[in-house]
């Protein structure tokens, strides 16, 4: 299946993400910046690149029938991540920002985790962290910047930069990962398994993210399905609706 050309995908993502961000933080309407969903820096268009959340190398391993039926971008799930050099404690990290960070620390492990024989392989903490990082980006892709800006988002973003172990603040209940095996062949009944890489559910204090055959719970400080109050929660007395009885009394 033909791929959509990447530059236009980037533009679409940029406008969608900026639209979402501006509704939450109106300050962004007066500039041309976007927050990186992982490092949180406010950066320009040229400092972002398209990120395949499930890496391209991983979806290249999908069965041939799947590759014919469903586009690569759809099977990956896309977002924008920054490509500006990361700096930790005044030290520059070689590479292209969060995009390179994910590529270096997680993409190989996401690919391995998605192999059909995952249950017979050695599965270690880096695989777990990689699936969590992808799960966070899947959750961000679904609900946008409110995920990144919540206290739980800050926790997940700290976790993103700790690829070998859990951050100490991560509650135990979110340190578990469930998995089964992927479908062995492609049928129309399985289409959603491949075409929608992240299925997200929400309950009090947690998000359930299913990434293909993995299921994980992620911390969530606020239910993103409940609309945010974007206007004053009360009406000033002068504007309050009052019964006008003048016509009746006349
Ligand atoms: Zn970044």
């Amino acid at each position: 299946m033909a791929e959509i050309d990447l530059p236009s995908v980037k533009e679409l993502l940029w406008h969608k993400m900026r639209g979402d961000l501006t509704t939450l933080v109106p300050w962004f309407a007066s500039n041309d910046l976007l927050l990186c969903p992982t490092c949180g820096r406010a950066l320009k268009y040229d400092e972002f690149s398209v990120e395949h959340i499930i890496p391209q190398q991983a979806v290249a391993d999908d069965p041939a029938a799947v590759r014919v039926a469903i586009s690569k971008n759809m099977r990956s799930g896309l977002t924008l991540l920054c490509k500006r050099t990361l700096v930790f404690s005044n030290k520059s990290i070689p590479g292209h920002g969060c995009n390179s960070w994910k590529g270096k620390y997680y993409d190989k492990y996401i690919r391995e985790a998605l192999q059909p024989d995952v249950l017979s392989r050695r599965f270690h903490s880096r695989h777990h962290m990689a699936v969590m990082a992808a799960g966070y980006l899947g959750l961000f892709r679904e609900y946008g910047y409110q995920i990144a800006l919540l206290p739980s988002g800050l926790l997940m973003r700290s976790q993103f930069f700790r690829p070998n172990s859990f951050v100490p603040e991560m509650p135990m209940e979110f340190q578990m990962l469930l998995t089964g095996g992927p479908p062995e062949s492609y049928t129309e009944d399985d289409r959603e398994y491949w075409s929608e890489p992240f299925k997200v559910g929400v309950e009090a204090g947690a998000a359930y993210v299913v990434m293909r055959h993995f299921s994980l719970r992620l911390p969530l400080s606020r239910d993103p399905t409940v609309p945010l109050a974007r206007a004053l929660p009360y009406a000033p007395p002068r504007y309050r609706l009052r019964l006008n009885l003048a016509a009746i009394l006349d």
Side-chain angles (χ1 to χ4, degrees):
M1 182 174 281
E3 298 297 336
I4 307 166
D5 63 311
L6 275 177
S8 64
V9 168
K10 182 180 173 185
E11 248 169 72
L12 287 171
L13 283 168
W14 170 264
H15 290 299
K16 180 169 172 254
M17 288 167 71
R18 257 189 59 80
D20 168 46
L21 180 59
T22 305
T23 64
L24 295 170
V25 190
W27 177 78
F28 281 92
S30 61
N31 56 50
D32 205 14
L33 300 169
L34 187 68
L35 291 179
C36 173
T38 41
C39 69
R41 291 179 296 178
L43 302 169
K44 292 182 176 165
Y45 181 84
D46 290 343
E47 295 173 303
F48 283 91
S49 55
V50 175
E51 173 66 27
H52 292 74
I53 304 175
I54 296 184
Q56 300 189 71
Q57 311 92 303
V59 296
D61 294 338
D62 288 343
V66 174
R67 298 201 305 272
V68 169
I70 303 164
S71 79
K72 185 176 67 177
N73 288 350
M74 199 180 261
R75 284 177 286 132
S76 284
L78 303 178
T79 186
L80 295 181
L81 285 186
C82 79
K83 55 179 181 178
R84 181 166 168 180
T85 306
L86 289 164
V87 180
F88 288 133
S89 309
N90 291 327
K91 261 182 64 181
S92 297
I93 308 293
H96 302 285
C98 292
N99 217 307
S100 290
W101 184 273
K102 177 175 174 286
K104 179 176 178 185
Y105 290 106
Y106 297 132
D107 282 358
K108 169 174 179 273
Y109 296 91
I110 297 171
R111 183 185 186 183
E112 287 180 7
L114 293 177
Q115 294 292 319
D117 58 348
V118 58
L119 295 175
S120 59
R121 283 166 175 250
R122 193 161 161 263
F123 193 90
H124 53 77
S125 59
R126 183 66 70 79
H127 293 101
H128 193 153
M129 299 303 148
V131 173
M132 274 193 91
Y136 163 72
L137 289 173
L139 186 60
F140 171 81
R141 176 175 167 261
E142 182 75 24
Y143 291 115
Y145 277 97
Q146 55 173 318
I147 294 299
L149 297 173
L150 287 169
S152 52
L154 182 60
L155 181 61
M156 286 305 301
R157 292 191 286 118
S158 317
Q159 185 63 65
F160 182 80
F161 292 104
R162 180 81 75 92
N164 295 316
S165 59
F166 285 105
V167 290
E169 300 79 21
M170 185 64 72
M172 280 295 286
E173 60 181 306
F174 301 117
Q175 299 187 17
M176 192 174 72
L177 189 62
L178 300 174
T179 187
E184 288 178 7
S185 57
Y186 177 74
T187 67
E188 271 301 308
D189 291 344
D190 300 327
R191 184 179 174 84
E192 202 188 343
Y193 172 88
W194 304 99
S195 65
E196 182 41 71
F198 300 97
K199 287 96 179 164
V200 178
V202 168
E203 70 163 32
Y208 286 92
V209 180
V210 174
M211 181 180 96
R212 292 214 174 166
H213 51 278
F214 286 96
S215 173
L216 64 158
R217 280 181 92 220
L218 298 179
L220 190 59
S221 316
R222 182 191 177 277
D223 183 346
T225 62
V226 176
L228 285 162
R230 293 173 197 276
L232 285 175
Y234 66 93
R238 196 179 147 206
Y239 298 104
R240 199 172 287 153
L241 184 64
R242 292 178 183 175
L243 266 181
N244 180 355
L245 300 176
I248 301 172
L249 294 175
D250 279 348

